[in-house]
């Protein structure tokens, strides 16, 4: 009798455990991504978990917690794409931000601005977006969920593609017959738009990818302190002409300050550099820290807002980890 | 010599009046002059407060009026009998008409939940030709998905938003729609374009937008449930930005746009 009771209890516990873990794997992956600081990836995993078990309160709480950061990520990526002239990508990224936070006022204004200033580019992007989204809206089938990469560590490299000479969806044929096979081969790295359909959080909508990193500057020279500041005729120096301000910050090299005024009332403080190499920065408005930037690699950018409300783009030009020195370029976004 | 003193006499008292007039007319917030009529669901009389709270949190400062249409004989009676009553809907249409006659510039939004959406649509069909509302929001509509919205949309100057969810346990089990129409309820998979749609219908459905449940809405407290759609967080984040805006929201995809994409045979 006792044996039957024990077996029954074990079975019941197993059933409860299994039921409680609906969406468990996605939720766990989301937690891992959140701990890594990849809010946008974490949000996508939470969305997948929410699709599997919509009534789970912990998933809802996680999504609510992470949504502002994930939306800010896509908004900043949209601003960067816009400043690089990739208006189609910018529109999609801003839309992705709105899908996460439909009341994101700045993203709405940015979309309005893009639609006003670049109507033809945005119209084609919108058409592509509508095509990818019409499935579940008109037919309302429950669609399958695919994850770009089950392992969060591998998600990024998989998603990245080689820079395309024509990244705009305009390069796509509008003919349905030509579109069909292209869409079927979506997962293959064909040269074309860098934006792929998102099948993680919101299966019917396209998910834009972050912009490609710029080609890294030439490797460091042997002398650490001199290498941190390239000579004026070097390719990096020539590139620096496009920036409003170029600043060199260092923790160990006495020639450079650790904290410097950047632009529009914003100060940059070098927190640390890593061997990878990447850099951690803090942005201050007076004594108040307004933004944390972590693990920013060479060629990657982040946007920030000045005191006047204007947007600026900060790009890492060079990192010399030995001397904990970093060179940053800032321009209007 | 007497001119300056006379001028002072005339303009002196006028100045404060002019300032008051300018303040009253020029500085009025457009959100203040808006009005929302809300029809609760059948036998469910508590969703109005969360909808109101969501709108208020998003910055809506207008008047929120809950239209009581229930016969208080239970949800079954409300759903099967009262929701179809033309007389009850006429009461709402008269209210809308009165508000618009009083202030033609006032923005009017009409919202309803479940069977309350049948009252909303029926009322819009009954308002006089010159009366228009700005936006309509139908939460989990239990009216037929095949219902022709053209007559109602004649009186809507903005968009009609209808939420739908495959996780809605109530519309899933509905046998009879609140308006008595055939087909599945719109709260399950959204409204559908009528077959053989004329130009007027096509124009109307360019402004009809289904808002299907998405996993991202879980973060705003809507888990796909029938009444959870009226939670204040969802209303604040998803509904309010749409109705407080003058033009369509960037995420809006009308039924007509969807149909056009399907008709062109685009890749799905």
């Amino acid at each position: 009798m006792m044996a039957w009771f024990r077996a029954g209890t074990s079975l019941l516990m197993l059933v409860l455990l299994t039921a409680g873990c609906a969406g468990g794997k996605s939720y766990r992956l989301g937690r891992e991504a959140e701990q890594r600081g990849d809010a946008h990836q974490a949000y996508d995993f939470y969305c997948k978990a929410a699709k599997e078990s919509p009534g789970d309160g912990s998933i809802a709480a996680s999504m609510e917690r992470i949504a502002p950061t994930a939306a800010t990520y896509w908004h900043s990526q949209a601003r960067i794409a816009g400043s690089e002239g990739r208006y189609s990508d910018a529109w999609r990224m801003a839309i992705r931000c709105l899908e996460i936070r439909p009341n994101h006022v700045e993203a709405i204004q940015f979309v309005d601005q893009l639609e006003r200033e670049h109507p033809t580019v945005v119209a084609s992007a919108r058409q592509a977006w509508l095509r990818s989204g019409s499935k579940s809206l008109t037919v309302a089938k429950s669609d399958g969920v695919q994850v770009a990469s089950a392992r969060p560590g591998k998600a990024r490299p998989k998603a990245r593609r080689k820079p395309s000479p024509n990244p705009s969806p305009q390069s796509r044929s509008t003919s349905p017959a030509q579109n069909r096979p292209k869409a079927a081969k979506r997962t293959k790295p064909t040269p074309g738009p860098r934006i792929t359909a998102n099948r993680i959080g919101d299966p019917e909508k396209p998910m834009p990818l972050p912009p490609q990193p710029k080609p890294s500057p030439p490797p460091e020279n042997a002398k650490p302190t001199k290498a941190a500041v390239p000579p004026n005729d070097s390719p990096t120096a020539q590139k620096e002409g496009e920036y409003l301000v170029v600043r060199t910050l260092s923790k160990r090299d006495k020639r450079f300050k650790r904290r410097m005024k950047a632009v529009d009332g914003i100060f940059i403080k070098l927190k640390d550099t890593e061997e990878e190499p990447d850099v951690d920065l803090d942005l201050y408005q007076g004594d108040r820290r307004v933004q944390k930037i972590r693990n920013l690699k060479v060629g990657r950018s982040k946007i920030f807002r000045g005191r006047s409300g204007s947007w600026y783009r900060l790009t890492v030009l060079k990192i010399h980890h030995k001397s904990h020195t970093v060179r940053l370029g800032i321009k209007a976004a | 010599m007497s001119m300056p003193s006379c001028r002072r006499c005339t303009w002196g008292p006028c100045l404060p009046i002019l300032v008051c007039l300018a303040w009253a007319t020029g500085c009025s917030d457009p959100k203040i002059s808006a009005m929302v009529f809300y029809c609760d669901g059948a036998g469910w009389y508590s969703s109005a407060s969360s909808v109101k709270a969501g709108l208020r949190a998003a910055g809506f400062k207008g008047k929120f009026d809950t239209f009581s249409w229930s016969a208080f004989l239970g949800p079954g009676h409300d759903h099967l009998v009262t929701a179809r009553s033309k007389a009850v809907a006429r009461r709402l249409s008269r209210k809308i008409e009165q508000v618009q006659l009083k202030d033609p510039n006032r923005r009017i939004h009409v919202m309803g939940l479940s069977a309350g959406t049948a009252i909303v649509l029926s009322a819009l069909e009954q308002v006089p030709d010159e009366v228009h509302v700005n936006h309509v929001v139908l939460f989990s509509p239990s009216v037929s998905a095949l219902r022709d919205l053209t007559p109602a949309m004649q009186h809507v100057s903005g968009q009609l938003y209808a939420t739908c969810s495959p996780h809605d346990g109530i519309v899933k089990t509905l046998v009879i729609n609140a308006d008595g129409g055939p087909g599945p309820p719109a709260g399950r998979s959204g409204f559908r374009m009528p077959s053989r749609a004329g130009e007027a219908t096509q124009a109307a459905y360019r402004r009809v937008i289904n808002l299907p449940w998405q996993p991202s809405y879980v973060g705003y407290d809507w888990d796909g449930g029938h009444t959870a759609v009226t939670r204040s967080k969802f209303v604040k984040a998803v509904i309010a930005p749409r109705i407080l805006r003058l033009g369509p929201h960037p995420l809006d995809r009308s039924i007509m746009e969807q149909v056009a994409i399907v008709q062109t045979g685009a890749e799905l």
Side-chain angles (χ1 to χ4, degrees):
Chain A
M1 189 62 187
M2 275 304 281
W4 277 106
F5 179 74
R6 277 179 194 157
T9 315
S10 307
L11 193 69
L12 186 69
M13 282 179 74
L14 192 70
V15 166
L16 286 173
L17 197 70
T18 320
C21 288
K25 189 184 173 188
S26 305
Y27 182 67
R28 184 176 49 79
L29 291 171
R31 294 284 294 184
E32 284 172 11
E34 191 178 348
Q35 280 161 8
R36 278 200 315 274
D38 293 334
H40 62 294
Q41 280 185 358
Y43 187 83
D44 289 340
F45 282 120
Y46 288 144
C47 276
K48 188 179 178 253
K51 190 166 178 111
E52 288 164 13
S53 49
D56 193 323
S58 57
I59 297 171
S62 300
M63 289 180 76
E64 193 180 351
R65 183 180 61 244
I66 204 82
T69 320
T72 305
Y73 170 82
W74 286 116
H75 179 236
S76 66
Q77 295 298 332
R79 287 273 177 185
I80 289 168
S83 70
E84 287 175 351
R86 294 183 290 118
Y87 301 117
S88 175
D89 286 359
W91 184 85
R92 283 165 192 248
M93 287 165 176
I95 287 291
R96 179 68 188 139
C97 168
L98 287 174
E99 283 167 2
I100 297 167
R101 284 190 75 187
N103 54 350
H104 197 292
V105 178
E106 285 159 355
I108 292 175
Q109 287 168 353
F110 187 55
V111 167
D112 286 345
Q113 183 193 333
L114 286 171
E115 287 179 351
R116 205 172 43 245
E117 291 173 4
H118 311 282
T120 47
V121 177
V122 168
S124 68
R126 187 173 165 79
Q127 278 298 311
W129 180 66
L130 283 168
R131 273 199 295 276
S132 65
S134 56
K135 189 178 181 179
S136 60
L137 287 178
T138 50
V139 187
K141 281 180 186 171
S142 60
D143 32 23
V145 177
Q146 297 168 12
V147 186
S149 170
R151 297 183 68 174
K154 287 186 177 179
R156 246 181 224 232
K158 247 187 176 181
R160 283 180 195 163
R161 289 178 183 182
K162 281 183 181 179
S164 154
N166 184 9
S168 160
Q170 280 175 308
S171 59
R172 276 185 186 177
S173 165
T174 48
S175 158
Q178 288 176 340
N179 254 336
R180 216 165 276 131
K182 271 189 182 178
K185 292 173 186 171
R186 222 171 242 165
T187 49
K188 290 187 180 176
T190 51
R194 279 165 27 189
I195 308 298
T196 54
N198 171 28
R199 293 260 166 206
I200 300 173
D202 199 356
E204 69 269 16
K205 289 168 187 169
M207 183 174 106
L209 296 174
Q212 298 296 304
K214 284 182 179 176
S216 299
E220 304 294 330
N221 293 333
K223 289 181 181 177
T225 48
K226 281 182 184 175
V229 192
N232 284 338
D233 55 349
S234 75
T236 317
Q238 281 168 5
K239 262 190 192 173
E240 287 171 6
E242 65 187 270
Y243 295 102
L244 289 173
V245 177
V246 175
R247 292 276 183 262
T248 306
L249 308 175
S250 182
K251 268 179 88 176
R252 291 191 185 161
D253 192 333
K254 300 290 178 196
R255 291 180 300 164
F256 306 110
K257 288 181 181 174
R258 192 180 171 191
R259 181 187 147 123
M260 282 184 89
K261 188 177 179 183
V263 67
D264 199 359
I266 298 293
F267 288 82
I268 307 177
K269 185 181 175 185
L270 173 65
K271 194 166 170 65
D272 211 350
T273 60
E274 302 290 337
E275 262 183 73
E276 219 171 290
D278 58 31
V279 59
D280 295 345
L281 301 162
D282 286 335
L283 303 188
Y284 287 84
Q285 204 177 85
D287 291 335
R288 189 170 59 92
R289 187 172 65 189
V290 288
Q291 196 170 334
K292 281 199 280 188
I293 299 172
R294 297 289 178 264
N295 305 323
L296 197 63
K297 291 183 172 54
V298 175
R300 300 304 296 259
S301 302
K302 282 275 178 185
I303 65 157
F304 64 92
R305 216 171 184 180
R307 184 174 275 175
S308 66
S310 306
W311 289 92
Y312 297 92
R313 182 180 162 192
L314 180 151
T315 308
V316 180
L317 302 175
K318 209 170 182 85
I319 299 171
H320 189 263
H321 177 57
K322 264 190 177 177
S323 61
H324 288 255
T325 306
V326 62
R327 196 164 178 80
L328 308 165
I330 298 162
K331 63 180 178 181
Chain B
M1 281 297 282
S2 63
M3 273 297 279
S5 63
C6 181
R7 205 175 278 162
R8 266 201 303 273
C9 285
T10 317
W11 287 100
C14 288
L15 201 63
I17 297 169
L18 277 171
V19 169
C20 285
L21 272 174
W23 178 77
T25 55
C27 302
S28 62
D29 188 346
K31 286 175 187 169
I32 293 172
S33 62
M35 170 139 199
V36 169
F37 285 105
Y38 184 77
C39 294
D40 238 319
W44 186 265
Y45 318 114
S46 59
S47 65
S49 58
S50 59
V51 173
K52 186 179 175 180
L55 291 174
R56 290 268 184 263
F60 176 75
K61 292 170 186 166
K63 197 180 171 191
F64 189 95
D65 185 22
T66 307
F67 178 75
S68 177
W69 62 274
S70 174
F72 297 101
L73 293 171
H77 186 273
D78 279 349
H79 181 82
L80 294 170
V81 182
T82 323
R84 294 182 208 178
S85 165
K86 296 275 180 198
V88 174
R90 200 171 298 126
R91 275 203 296 129
L92 176 60
S93 67
R94 278 190 192 138
K95 275 194 156 195
I96 295 169
E97 191 184 345
Q98 280 168 6
V99 170
Q100 188 145 80
L101 281 173
K102 209 173 175 183
D103 184 2
N105 295 324
R106 192 167 202 178
R107 288 167 64 80
I108 302 170
H109 311 298
V110 192
M111 301 182 184
L113 167 68
S114 189
T117 60
I119 298 288
V120 169
L121 293 174
S122 186
L124 288 171
E125 286 168 359
Q126 291 186 53
V127 292
D129 290 345
E130 67 277 9
V131 176
H132 288 85
V133 301
N134 285 82
H135 293 300
V136 177
V137 183
L138 307 178
F139 295 103
S140 308
S142 57
V143 298
S144 168
L146 307 175
R147 182 179 179 131
D148 188 357
L149 299 172
T150 316
M153 288 304 289
Q154 308 278 338
H155 304 280
V156 182
S157 57
Q159 276 75 32
L160 182 146
Y161 297 100
T163 66
C164 55
S165 165
H167 302 293
D168 189 329
I170 291 180
V171 293
K172 215 186 269 183
T173 53
L174 271 185
V175 184
I176 302 168
N177 292 320
D179 61 347
R188 196 192 300 169
S189 55
F191 283 102
R192 294 177 192 175
M193 182 100 164
S195 53
R196 294 174 191 171
E199 277 183 22
T201 304
Q202 287 185 14
Y205 277 79
R206 271 191 199 101
R207 292 179 290 118
V208 178
I209 292 136
N210 286 323
L211 294 175
W213 177 84
Q214 295 166 15
S216 60
Y217 291 157
V218 168
Y220 298 113
D221 266 5
W222 185 28
D223 56 4
H226 189 65
T227 55
V229 71
T230 57
R231 298 257 168 87
S232 59
K233 279 183 192 168
F234 178 75
V235 172
K236 181 194 169 189
V238 180
I239 302 298
R242 287 174 160 90
I243 69 158
L244 297 180
R245 199 178 142 88
L246 289 173
H249 190 271
L251 293 178
D252 285 355
R253 289 178 290 187
S254 72
I255 291 179
M256 192 60 208
E257 276 182 301
Q258 301 300 317
V259 169
I261 291 291
V262 172
Q263 279 175 351
T264 52
E267 178 57 46
L268 296 177

